[in-house]
Amino acid sequence: MQLKTAKTIKVEDQLLKAKNVDDDIIGCWKKCAGYTQIGDTVQADKTILGMHDHKQTGQNSKHLAISNNSGDGASVLKYLSGAIWTTITGGSTIPANAKIEFADWLNLCFIVGYDSTAESFVSSSSLSATTIVNTNLTSAPDGKYVIEYQDKLYILNALIDGVQYPSYMFYSSNPSLAGAITWSNTAQYEGVAVSDGDEITGVAKSYGNLIVFKNRSTYVYNGSSLVKGAGVGTSSHRSVQNIGENLLFFHWSADKKGFFMWDGAGAKLYSNQIDPLIQGMSSSQAPDVVAGVNNNHYYAYIGDVTLDTDIADYYGIETNLSNVLVDFNANNSTWAWKELPIAVKIMKAVNNVLYFGSTDGKVYQFNSGNTYDSEPIEPDLVTYFDASQPTIIKRFNEIAIKMHTPNAGLAFYSIDNEDWKDLGVLIKRVNNFTLNHKGYDIRIKVTSNGSISPWIFEGIEYIYDFEREKRK
């Protein structure tokens, strides 16, 4: 999909619109899969604030989810046992609105978090299997982010004895033979551009280094030295995801907006093709961008989007889009997007399966089924063709739409950006249609209704004549 260039200079295989479709088969587009609920309800009508794939030596992984039990002023941590979300008891009370982050190390799951609405930190804790034990946290700070690196546990953007250290990362000792670690907050720490007026907003590992994000910058830490890596950062830790050793993340500032790729040497903008979608966001949505990776796809939820009316009209896209999830296929370097019936608050891969949590207290398995949990998926694929001669009138005589799997897809056409006209139902491998219409260019739309099985679109063949005497 290409939403940044004039239609007349688009590459012929680029689309004007790629909604609720994916291109895992190179050269084809397919109606996307949906999602299905996993387990029972974590907590009815409560926001899922965090998820984690908790792995322990010799045990199956535990799928953790934490929900916003705002009625009781606290959150509830649960794990999936069969098809039942089961409460984990013990430990300190977790604020109702806190975003919770997790890190596995030393056969424990370390838990930190922060409630931005109440300006309060979660008390750092650790989990063993399904029991809060708080092991290895004596004198440890509270913090917004946690990660293991080079056999130490790091807690970043921290609170110690009521004092916040937004540009510092504190780290533990190396573990003893028995697996014990200690903390010395006056000696074991590293400042990250402490006087720049910014704060640490995220952390990840890439190419053997710790990559530390602020809103306006990115830093590279190798365990002994810290250097600035890029002049862009992120407002959303949950947008930071590994694609191999590279990192994709979302950045928002007055002069730069979009998804950037950290490749070990610097950060480059990767989302120019979908820039109108990003420009249609509001600044309040930037901290809440969440992402997940599955099968080399980077999925990022950006919320509701209001497109510029002229741009929307030019590309033939609705002005107001709801619950937008953009999809970057790293294998093909292509972008598409999905419109979902519900919001996405957290995404996490568990045992290589991608899940997300929403505001309804449920967890869903992504790329599962032919509906959005019983809601129909409405794909919308729009092509553009002018034979690389945009100023010459053509007579479009016939077109053939090639479908590997038709599954009753629906086809429409538009000459010179006029209203859509019906072509018919796609029921064969090759669907031939007679047009005999004149115009400078033609758009073809392939879509479908309801919860039918996915169709696979392979391409279009146009039969046309130039009418050069009509050229002005």
Side-chain angles (χ1 to χ4, degrees), residues 175-247:
S176 68
L177 188 61
I181 57 174
T182 59
W183 297 84
S184 177
N185 298 326
T186 59
Q188 295 166 190
Y189 65 88
E190 183 76 34
V192 182
V194 296
S195 60
D196 66 353
D198 204 351
E199 66 174 318
I200 294 173
T201 55
V203 64
K205 289 186 278 192
S206 171
Y207 292 102
N209 296 312
L210 205 59
I211 310 302
V212 183
F213 294 91
K214 292 188 148 190
N215 283 290
R216 302 184 295 271
S217 53
T218 300
Y219 291 84
V220 182
Y221 181 66
N222 64 8
S224 58
S225 64
L226 182 83
V227 296
K228 187 174 182 178
V232 293
T234 188
S235 57
S236 174
H237 170 64
R238 291 180 169 181
S239 74
V240 181
Q241 299 289 327
N242 282 94
I243 300 285
E245 286 294 320
N246 295 334
L247 293 172

Side-chain angles (χ1 to χ4, degrees), residues 305-334:
V305 169
T306 302
L307 289 175
D308 176 89
T309 54
D310 291 332
I311 291 175
D313 178 67
Y314 185 79
Y315 289 108
I317 299 174
E318 302 85 350
T319 303
N320 297 305
L321 307 175
S322 301
N323 296 321
V324 174
L325 183 86
V326 295
D327 170 8
F328 176 68
N329 184 339
N331 292 321
N332 305 338
S333 294
T334 53

Side-chain angles (χ1 to χ4, degrees), residues 121-195:
F121 285 77
V122 172
S123 297
S124 297
S125 57
S126 61
L127 173 72
S128 176
T130 59
T131 303
I132 298 289
V133 292
N134 291 334
T135 302
N136 281 334
L137 287 170
T138 301
S139 299
D142 300 329
K144 294 186 181 183
Y145 314 106
V146 61
I147 194 169
E148 179 274 328
Y149 178 63
Q150 291 187 354
D151 225 18
K152 295 182 177 70
L153 190 69
Y154 284 74
I155 296 177
L156 302 88
N157 196 331
L159 181 77
I160 301 173
D161 296 329
V163 179
Q164 187 175 350
Y165 297 90
S167 290
Y168 285 83
M169 47 186 184
F170 296 84
Y171 53 87
S172 71
S173 67
N174 293 107
S176 68
L177 188 61
I181 57 174
T182 59
W183 297 84
S184 177
N185 298 326
T186 59
Q188 295 166 190
Y189 65 88
E190 183 76 34
V192 182
V194 296
S195 60

Side-chain angles (χ1 to χ4, degrees), residues 22 36 38 56 103 115 124 129 159 189 239 261 293 340 345 375-376 382 401 421 424 435 464:
D22 66 49
T36 54
I38 183 75
Q56 291 188 295
D115 174 10
S124 297
L159 181 77
Y189 65 88
S239 74
M261 177 82 81
V293 172
L340 308 179
K345 306 304 290 186
E375 293 289 331
V382 179
I401 300 178
K421 296 180 176 64
L435 291 182
Y464 60 93

Side-chain angles (χ1 to χ4, degrees), residues 278-292:
I278 294 165
Q279 298 298 331
M281 297 171 60
S282 69
S283 59
S284 62
Q285 294 167 248
D288 295 322
V289 174
V290 299

Side-chain angles (χ1 to χ4, degrees), residues 38 46 72 105 145 150 158 174 213 217 232 241 265 298 311 362 372 440 445 457 471-472:
I38 183 75
K46 305 296 184 181
D72 296 336
W105 189 45
Y145 314 106
Q150 291 187 354
N174 293 107
F213 294 91
S217 53
V232 293
Q241 299 289 327
Y298 174 89
I311 291 175
K362 299 176 183 179
Y372 288 145
Y440 292 101
K445 175 165 68 174
F457 165 86
R471 184 172 185 177
K472 297 181 180 179

Side-chain angles (χ1 to χ4, degrees), residues 17-39:
K17 192 176 185 182
K19 170 187 164 185
N20 291 333
V21 293
D22 66 49
D23 64 336
D24 285 327
I25 303 171
I26 296 175
C28 298
W29 284 90
K30 178 183 177 182
K31 176 189 172 185
C32 71
Y35 57 76
T36 54
Q37 184 179 348
I38 183 75

